[in-house]
Structure formats: C-alpha cells, structure tokens
Amino acid sequence: PRAAIRENVNTDSFRVLVIDDENRARLRVVQPAGRTETDPVRLVSGVAEGERVSVSAVNELLDGTRVTYAETR
C-alpha cells in the first residue's frame, strides 16, 4: 500500500519498513514501478511477496524497533 512507502527526497529513493520474524521493523530500499497516485503501488524490487510491511507510524519507526501488529488482508 502507498501508506507503507517513505520517500527520501535527499537521495531520491523510496523505503519501506519490513517486519521481520522477530517483529522488528527493518528499513529496506524499494523501487516502485513508476510514479503513480494509485494504490496499491507496484514495486519492482525490495519486498518479496508475503513479507509484512508497516503501514502506520512509518515516519516514527526506526530500523530495528520492535513492533506489535494486527493482521490485515
């Protein structure tokens, strides 16, 4: 989802916080398929199908922060 993506304007890159098996947020660089206003955003690389990503508090979480989560579909 678009809410999961953070843009770094200084490096012209995009990042998401992937939630690992230990429930820690891990910052990962991703490559969107292109600039679009649609949701969901299609990624070319950076996140594998089935990986969990944070869609809330993405601007407050730091790499390695332990999180709690709710399953959504």
Side-chain angles (χ1 to χ4, degrees):
R2 174 168 298 290
I5 298 175
R6 300 187 331 191
E7 182 175 6
N8 184 328
V9 294
N10 294 322
T11 61
D12 194 31
S13 63
F14 298 88
R15 297 154 193 237
V16 297
L17 289 160
V18 175
I19 309 305
D20 69 14
D21 292 338
E22 297 176 348
N23 291 327
R24 293 191 182 276
R26 299 296 178 188
L27 193 61
R28 193 171 307 162
V29 174
V30 296
Q31 182 180 356
R35 292 196 182 260
T36 179
E37 297 302 318
T38 63
D39 199 5
V41 173
R42 192 167 69 86
L43 299 177
V44 175
S45 66
V47 177
E49 185 175 337
E51 286 188 299
R52 299 176 295 164
V53 296
S54 176
V55 294
S56 63
V58 295
N59 291 317
E60 289 82 33
L61 290 174
L62 300 173
D63 187 57
T65 302
R66 185 172 294 278
V67 299
T68 57
Y69 67 94
E71 289 287 334
T72 60
R73 298 224 176 235

